[in-house]
Amino acid sequence: MTRTRLVAGNWKMHGNRAANAALLDAIVRGLGSAHFAEGGVECAVCVPFPYLAQVAERLRGTAVAWGAQNLSEHAQGAYTGEVSAAMLADFDCKYVIVGHSERRQLFGESDGQVAAKFAAARKGALTPILCVGETLEERDAGRTEQVVARQLDAVLGKGEFGDAVLAYEPVWAIGTGRTATPEQAQDVHAFLRKRVTPQTRILYGGSVKADNAAAIFAMPDVDGGLIGGASLVARDFIGICRVAERKG
Ligand code: PEP
């Protein structure tokens, strides 16, 4: 089963207009044009809301897609501070990250709310990147499969997964410099794969860098990466995209 690999950057709450311009220029230059997508890998950046216009303007017509890091589960209305799927679509976002562990842990997003956000994204013709992953405590207690199954099943219980993307992000590996071993990632990906379809892309996220990406992306059920810190450094992000390109 051939799946187009995806390397998606999550800029989190970083950047400013000048830094973004330099980063985007370097990424576009480094990745070249349409040739890159032909290599069986797609690259994307998920950026803070205020910069969507800047990013859309710079990336339109290039090989790099863009998206957001969150959205509201509501279509519109009196929800101060929220951003709807339709607003993201207005900026031609292709992707939106849903249920990142920072949203779950720092902003109290429940499985049910994540499922509602996922449904809103799909209804709005966006491609959700659904994040699931266990804490270190949960892993040590042998509950990894139970936790990721619960998180995924909350979404599957509300409708089709469709062409959405799944991202396995062990919480203990995010921003810590500690990665899951390729085998640990593969085990969880293979477990998740049984709940989705053979076509579903399953990304790994958690301290992926240019120098550890090859071993992780070589696993049969790893279809690319969700990249935090390294997506803010053009050379590192390009390096990871190139590793994905070489796979397979
Ligand atoms: C993330 O935030 O999704 C992530 C994987 O971060 P990092 O690559 O910095 O661990």
Side-chain angles (χ1 to χ4, degrees), residues 42 56 74 119 142 154 237 248:
E42 191 187 356
H74 304 289
F237 187 63

PDB file of all heavy atoms in Angstrom, residues 42 56 74 119 142 154 237 248:
ATOM      1  N   GLU A  42       4.685  14.993   0.861  1.00  0.00           N
ATOM      2  CA  GLU A  42       4.027  16.292   0.891  1.00  0.00           C
ATOM      3  C   GLU A  42       4.538  17.018   2.140  1.00  0.00           C
ATOM      4  O   GLU A  42       4.720  16.378   3.183  1.00  0.00           O
ATOM      5  CB  GLU A  42       2.525  16.038   1.005  1.00  0.00           C
ATOM      6  CG  GLU A  42       1.661  17.235   0.788  1.00  0.00           C
ATOM      7  CD  GLU A  42       0.191  16.933   1.099  1.00  0.00           C
ATOM      8  OE1 GLU A  42      -0.130  15.768   1.403  1.00  0.00           O
ATOM      9  OE2 GLU A  42      -0.583  17.866   1.068  1.00  0.00           O
ATOM     10  N   ALA A  56      -0.318  31.985   3.422  1.00  0.00           N
ATOM     11  CA  ALA A  56      -1.065  31.644   2.204  1.00  0.00           C
ATOM     12  C   ALA A  56      -0.497  32.404   1.009  1.00  0.00           C
ATOM     13  O   ALA A  56      -0.292  31.840  -0.075  1.00  0.00           O
ATOM     14  CB  ALA A  56      -2.548  31.958   2.383  1.00  0.00           C
ATOM     15  N   HIS A  74     -17.521  24.872  16.873  1.00  0.00           N
ATOM     16  CA  HIS A  74     -18.749  25.559  16.459  1.00  0.00           C
ATOM     17  C   HIS A  74     -18.573  26.164  15.072  1.00  0.00           C
ATOM     18  O   HIS A  74     -17.478  26.575  14.689  1.00  0.00           O
ATOM     19  CB  HIS A  74     -19.090  26.671  17.450  1.00  0.00           C
ATOM     20  CG  HIS A  74     -19.221  26.161  18.854  1.00  0.00           C
ATOM     21  ND1 HIS A  74     -20.272  25.374  19.271  1.00  0.00           N
ATOM     22  CD2 HIS A  74     -18.414  26.310  19.934  1.00  0.00           C
ATOM     23  CE1 HIS A  74     -20.114  25.057  20.552  1.00  0.00           C
ATOM     24  NE2 HIS A  74     -18.997  25.611  20.981  1.00  0.00           N
ATOM     25  N   ALA A 119     -14.889  16.664  13.720  1.00  0.00           N
ATOM     26  CA  ALA A 119     -16.078  16.649  12.852  1.00  0.00           C
ATOM     27  C   ALA A 119     -16.259  18.008  12.179  1.00  0.00           C
ATOM     28  O   ALA A 119     -16.595  18.083  10.984  1.00  0.00           O
ATOM     29  CB  ALA A 119     -17.310  16.279  13.677  1.00  0.00           C
ATOM     30  N   GLY A 142       1.759   0.565  31.374  1.00  0.00           N
ATOM     31  CA  GLY A 142       1.348  -0.399  30.349  1.00  0.00           C
ATOM     32  C   GLY A 142       0.022  -0.052  29.701  1.00  0.00           C
ATOM     33  O   GLY A 142      -0.678  -0.919  29.172  1.00  0.00           O
ATOM     34  N   ALA A 154     -12.989   7.893  20.334  1.00  0.00           N
ATOM     35  CA  ALA A 154     -13.900   9.030  20.580  1.00  0.00           C
ATOM     36  C   ALA A 154     -14.234   9.707  19.256  1.00  0.00           C
ATOM     37  O   ALA A 154     -15.369  10.144  19.021  1.00  0.00           O
ATOM     38  CB  ALA A 154     -13.253  10.018  21.547  1.00  0.00           C
ATOM     39  N   PHE A 237      14.090  21.443   8.955  1.00  0.00           N
ATOM     40  CA  PHE A 237      12.803  21.025   8.390  1.00  0.00           C
ATOM     41  C   PHE A 237      13.007  20.448   6.982  1.00  0.00           C
ATOM     42  O   PHE A 237      12.470  19.384   6.642  1.00  0.00           O
ATOM     43  CB  PHE A 237      11.835  22.213   8.367  1.00  0.00           C
ATOM     44  CG  PHE A 237      10.430  21.829   7.963  1.00  0.00           C
ATOM     45  CD1 PHE A 237       9.679  20.957   8.737  1.00  0.00           C
ATOM     46  CD2 PHE A 237       9.856  22.345   6.817  1.00  0.00           C
ATOM     47  CE1 PHE A 237       8.379  20.595   8.372  1.00  0.00           C
ATOM     48  CE2 PHE A 237       8.562  21.994   6.435  1.00  0.00           C
ATOM     49  CZ  PHE A 237       7.827  21.120   7.218  1.00  0.00           C
ATOM     50  N   GLY A 248      11.397   4.546   0.714  1.00  0.00           N
ATOM     51  CA  GLY A 248      10.518   3.742  -0.150  1.00  0.00           C
ATOM     52  C   GLY A 248      10.903   3.684  -1.589  1.00  0.00           C
ATOM     53  O   GLY A 248      11.531   4.478  -2.167  1.00  0.00           O
TER      54      GLY A 248
END
